[in-house]
């Protein structure tokens, strides 16, 4: 639903959408779990049918070359993620409809005193397509296996008890964020949903309307466009019970507290202007911790490419893009590593700065760090220590800016220092990456386990990028628990979580240190070549298209073509 500029049209269109949803809530409450699963299955299928239109819209507003391998990012982080998420939620609802918990057949474990649930791999397909990758959700302390099984399902344990109308304020960067958030509101919280698109993504209105049509048809979803005035009227509307947003902490605080002296007074008194609950995913300054070890030239080259991807994927406009690489100043391969990082940063494809304000944020970083190294509009800030790193660690640039922060120490001493810096100095708690040679992990032993346990982040990726956690449907996605409205950091609550796990603490993702075939030659059980989300992957567009088609309609017959494309990447 497109809203015109006049306040009268604005209000009437929002009112009409919310009126539709009020009726739709009654329909949704009367919809059985089996029927809900069928609706999600239809959404999954429609994602595949309209995937090309979806990707074309993203390519257009992000100003990508339609023939470039970078288009693979749009296939994977758009239709693939959506189809995989819808399919996993569909499976959870079918389990509940049969009287079974979504976790009934899950693999449970224990890590640092917490119960864990494996969310990758969960099928033979997972094991083949993401060979060597794994992910587990750590539950909050004190929650055991039996309680986790009993509580899994969240609001769908009582599907007839709905919870009003939820508003989703969509993101402007990754195109699956908004529709996946819609599904989470609808399923995990049993709320019908008004999705307000970010104006940057208005070209997605048509494909998303087609994809979500089964839910729109029964009145469970409405999609709105428009500017900040529409969002303001929508979130303040008395018919709305809950708000979920993706964006910056500044935008969150504007919604919750207002601006200027009034906002300060409200914060001081603990009386927010938004008089309803809000959850959020707000990004932050994500670190990549590199543990010193003995790396081959091929290791240095691959991991430099890996880190360049962590920063430059989607042009750097990711809430979990790595912004600071934390390395040891005493690592005897530090200079070799930095040389490869510069080369990877320089070799990464140049792309348009499509996200509003990007050039200004790059200029601000350059003003703070005048000795920054330039690579086609991208900045690399090496050799930062002590006070020089403060601005980098406290400011989410949301732009192609990457700093290298050096800390003293080796071995367990460096690991402890890196964890303390990541926890205490970095803004936000959404995601942290840890890169370590397998021999280093083995040598550290318990000290490595302590490092992972001490990191207070919603997603921790070991020899992987936290973006892989975003793509894992069963993983939780969101900040580390404990933030509050007046100190929101990376947000409150989680999304994705297709197994509908109650009271998660974090997701831990693990990947291979080396790509195949080197991984196999060095004893790592992984057949995954260079992942298709790497910015340097030459066949990412073809692989991404084939992965999206597979997620929309899984089948053994699709695997050979996916493998063939992936191996050429």
């Amino acid at each position: 639903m497109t809203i015109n500029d006049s306040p009268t049209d604005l209000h009437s269109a929002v009112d009409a959408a919310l009126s539709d949803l009020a009726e739709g809530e009654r329909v949704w409450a009367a919809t059985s779990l089996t029927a809900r699963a069928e609706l999600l299955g239809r959404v999954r299928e429609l994602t595949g049918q309209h995937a090309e239109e979806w990707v074309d819209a993203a390519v257009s507003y992000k100003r990508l070359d339609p023939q470039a391998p970078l288009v693979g990012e749009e296939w994977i982080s758009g239709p693939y993620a959506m189809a995989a998420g819808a399919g996993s939620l569909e499976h959870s609802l079918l389990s509940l409809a049969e009287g079974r918990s979504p976790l009934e057949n899950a693999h449970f474990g224990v890590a640092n005193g917490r119960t864990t649930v494996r969310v990758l791999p969960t099928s033979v397909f997972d094991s083949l397509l993401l060979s060597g990758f794994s992910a587990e959700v750590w539950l909050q302390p004190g929650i055991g296996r039996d309680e986790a099984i009993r509580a899994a399902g969240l609001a769908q344990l009582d599907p007839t008890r709905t919870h009003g109308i939820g508003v989703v304020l969509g993101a402007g960067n990754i195109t699956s964020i908004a529709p996946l958030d819609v599904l989470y509101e609808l399923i995990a919280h049993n709320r019908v949903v008004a999705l307000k698109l970010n104006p940057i993504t208005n070209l997605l209105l048509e494909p998303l309307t087609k994809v979500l049509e089964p839910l729109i048809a029964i009145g469970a979803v409405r999609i709105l466009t428009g500017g900040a005035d529409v969002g303001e009227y929508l979130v303040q509307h008395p018919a709305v019970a809950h708000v979920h947003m993706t964006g910056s902490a500044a935008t969150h605080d504007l919604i919750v507290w207002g601006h200027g002296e009034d906002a300060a007074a409200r914060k001081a008194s603990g009386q927010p202007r938004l008089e309803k609950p809000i959850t959020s995913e707000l990004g932050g300054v994500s670190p990549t911790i590199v543990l010193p070890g003995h790396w081959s030239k091929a290791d240095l080259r691959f991991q430099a490419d890996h880190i360049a991807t962590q920063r430059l994927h989607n042009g750097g406009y990711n809430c979990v893009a790595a912004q600071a690489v934390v390395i040891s100043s005493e690592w005897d391969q530090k200079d070799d590593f930095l040389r490869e990082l510069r080369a990877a940063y320089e070799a990464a494809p140049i792309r348009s700065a499509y996200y509003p304000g990007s050039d200004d944020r790059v200029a601000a970083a350059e003003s703070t760090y005048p000795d920054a190294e330039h690579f086609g509009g991208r900045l690399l800030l090496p050799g930062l220590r002590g006070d020089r790193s403060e601005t980098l660690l406290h400011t989410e640039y949301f732009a192609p800016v990457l700093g290298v922060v050096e800390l003293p120490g080796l071995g367990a001493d460096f690991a402890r220092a890196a964890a303390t810096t990541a926890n205490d100095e970095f803004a936000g708690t959404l995601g942290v990456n840890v890169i370590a040679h397998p021999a280093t992990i083995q040598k550290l032993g318990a000290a490595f386990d302590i490092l992972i346990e001490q990191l207070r982040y919603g997603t921790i990726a070991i020899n992987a990028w936290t973006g892989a956690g975003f793509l894992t449907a069963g993983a939780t996605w969101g900040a580390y628990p404990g933030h509050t409205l007046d100190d929101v950091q990376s947000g409150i609550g989680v999304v994705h979580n297709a197994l509908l796990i109650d009271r998660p603490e974090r997701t831990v993702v693990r990947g291979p240190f080396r790509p195949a075939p080197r991984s196999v030659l060095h004893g790592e059980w992984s057949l995954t070549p260079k992942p298709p989300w790497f910015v340097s992957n030459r066949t990412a567009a073809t692989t991404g298209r084939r992965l999206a088609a597979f997620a929309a309609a899984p089948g053994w017959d699709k695997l050979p073509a996916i493998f063939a494309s992936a191996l050429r990447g």
Side-chain angles (χ1 to χ4, degrees):
M1 181 183 297
T2 301
I3 296 178
N4 297 322
D5 292 336
S6 78
T8 301
D9 288 340
L10 182 159
H11 292 181
S12 62
V14 171
D15 291 343
L18 296 178
S19 177
D20 290 346
L21 289 169
E23 177 59 32
E25 183 181 5
R26 289 188 280 272
V27 176
W28 182 248
T31 303
S32 70
L33 286 169
T34 301
R36 293 179 183 193
E38 290 172 354
L39 288 168
L40 288 179
R42 184 61 183 145
V43 167
R44 171 178 50 77
E45 293 167 353
L46 287 169
T47 299
Q49 291 173 24
H50 299 289
E52 185 139 14
E53 184 180 349
W54 177 330
V55 170
D56 286 347
V59 166
S60 179
Y61 85 78
K62 295 184 181 184
R63 303 197 293 276
L64 292 172
D65 176 358
Q67 304 305 316
L70 287 176
V71 174
E73 293 181 355
E74 303 311 317
W75 282 102
I76 294 169
S77 65
Y80 168 79
M82 178 62 175
S88 293
L89 284 169
E90 174 191 3
H91 187 268
S92 290
L93 290 186
L94 287 173
S95 295
L96 290 167
E98 295 169 0
R100 299 183 293 108
S101 167
L103 296 183
E104 184 175 272
N105 297 316
H107 182 276
F108 286 86
V110 177
N112 301 95
R114 292 157 175 81
T115 301
T116 65
V117 182
R118 188 170 68 194
V119 294
L120 181 75
T122 59
S123 69
V124 175
F125 287 146
D126 286 347
S127 298
L128 292 171
L129 290 172
L130 285 167
S131 173
F133 284 83
S134 65
E136 55 188 20
V137 172
W138 292 20
L139 305 183
Q140 293 178 21
I143 301 174
R145 178 183 183 276
D146 291 345
E147 172 63 11
I149 291 173
R150 185 197 65 76
L154 301 178
Q156 295 303 309
L157 293 172
D158 187 1
T160 62
R161 185 175 176 229
T162 54
H163 299 279
I165 299 171
V167 164
V168 168
L169 300 178
N173 55 343
I174 295 297
T175 60
S176 65
I177 291 176
L180 283 173
D181 290 351
V182 166
L183 296 187
Y184 199 68
E185 277 287 291
L186 190 65
I187 303 302
H189 299 295
N190 215 23
R191 298 185 189 103
V192 293
V193 188
L195 166 61
K196 159 66 172 60
L197 293 178
N198 187 303
I200 302 171
T201 68
N202 279 349
L203 288 175
L204 289 169
L205 175 62
E206 189 171 344
L208 290 185
T209 298
K210 293 175 180 177
V211 166
L212 295 172
E213 188 278 334
L215 301 171
I216 293 171
I218 65 168
V221 172
R222 286 293 180 268
I223 307 177
L224 301 166
T225 61
D229 49 354
V230 176
E232 169 69 9
Y233 182 72
L234 185 58
V235 301
Q236 295 291 344
H237 200 287
V240 169
H242 180 268
V243 176
H244 177 80
M245 65 160 291
T246 300
S248 68
T251 301
H252 169 275
D253 286 355
L254 187 64
I255 293 170
V256 173
W257 303 105
H259 57 81
E261 293 181 2
D262 287 346
R266 290 189 187 99
K267 266 194 174 184
S269 65
Q271 297 294 321
R273 67 187 289 265
L274 185 70
E275 298 178 345
K276 60 195 67 173
I278 181 171
T279 53
S280 50
E281 190 264 88
L282 305 175
V285 178
S286 293
T288 293
I289 298 170
V290 178
L291 298 182
H294 182 68
W295 296 11
S296 69
K297 290 182 179 179
D299 295 337
L300 289 164
R301 191 174 305 115
F302 176 74
Q303 292 300 345
D305 193 14
H306 192 183
I307 293 171
T309 290
Q310 293 172 5
R311 173 70 268 185
L312 298 177
H313 181 279
N314 194 37
Y317 312 118
N318 286 332
C319 49
V320 77
Q323 185 168 295
V325 185
V326 181
I327 65 171
S328 168
S329 59
E330 302 173 30
W331 185 21
D332 59 4
Q333 291 185 292
K334 181 188 75 172
D335 291 341
D336 295 332
F337 167 76
L338 291 176
R339 189 179 307 113
E340 292 294 346
L341 183 59
R342 287 186 180 94
Y345 214 64
E346 184 173 22
I350 302 294
R351 63 178 90 191
S352 297
Y354 77 87
Y355 207 89
S358 176
D359 291 340
D360 291 339
R361 292 189 293 274
V362 171
E366 185 178 11
S367 176
T368 303
Y369 299 101
D371 54 350
E373 299 176 14
H374 292 254
F375 298 89
R378 304 173 299 215
L379 298 186
L380 184 64
L381 320 172
L384 302 183
R385 302 188 187 190
D387 293 344
R388 285 209 70 216
S389 65
E390 277 191 13
T391 303
L392 178 78
L393 305 190
H394 299 165
T395 306
E396 184 186 10
Y397 283 115
F398 210 69
V401 176
L402 179 66
V404 180
V405 177
E406 298 184 14
L407 300 177
L410 294 169
D413 291 339
F414 174 77
R416 282 191 293 270
T420 299
T421 300
N423 285 335
D424 298 343
E425 301 298 330
F426 280 72
T429 65
L430 185 62
V432 58
N433 312 290
V434 179
I435 295 177
H437 193 287
T440 300
I441 295 174
Q442 184 176 20
K443 184 176 180 180
L444 285 171
F448 184 80
D449 296 335
I450 291 171
L451 166 67
I452 302 306
E453 192 274 334
Q454 288 181 338
L455 288 168
R456 297 191 298 269
Y457 285 81
T459 298
I460 301 170
I462 303 166
N463 289 331
W465 178 34
T466 47
F470 176 92
L471 293 174
T472 300
T476 56
W477 186 253
Y480 193 79
H483 299 320
T484 58
L485 287 182
D486 59 350
D487 184 20
V488 74
Q489 298 269 337
S490 288
I492 298 170
V494 300
V495 291
H496 298 188
N497 187 22
L499 295 175
L500 303 174
I501 297 170
D502 189 33
R503 286 166 290 171
E505 181 185 66
R506 69 184 88 182
T507 287
V508 177
V509 180
R510 298 174 190 267
F513 182 70
R514 310 172 182 89
R518 286 198 305 116
S519 55
V520 177
L521 296 175
H522 288 84
E524 290 185 270
W525 295 106
S526 171
L527 299 177
T528 299
K530 179 185 289 187
W533 54 82
F534 271 43
V535 295
S536 59
N537 191 298
R538 295 170 296 183
T539 60
T542 301
T543 305
R545 178 192 291 269
R546 292 173 180 176
L547 283 170
F550 174 86
W556 288 99
D557 58 317
K558 294 183 172 71
L559 295 184
I562 295 173
F563 294 149
S565 179
L567 289 169
R568 295 194 301 270

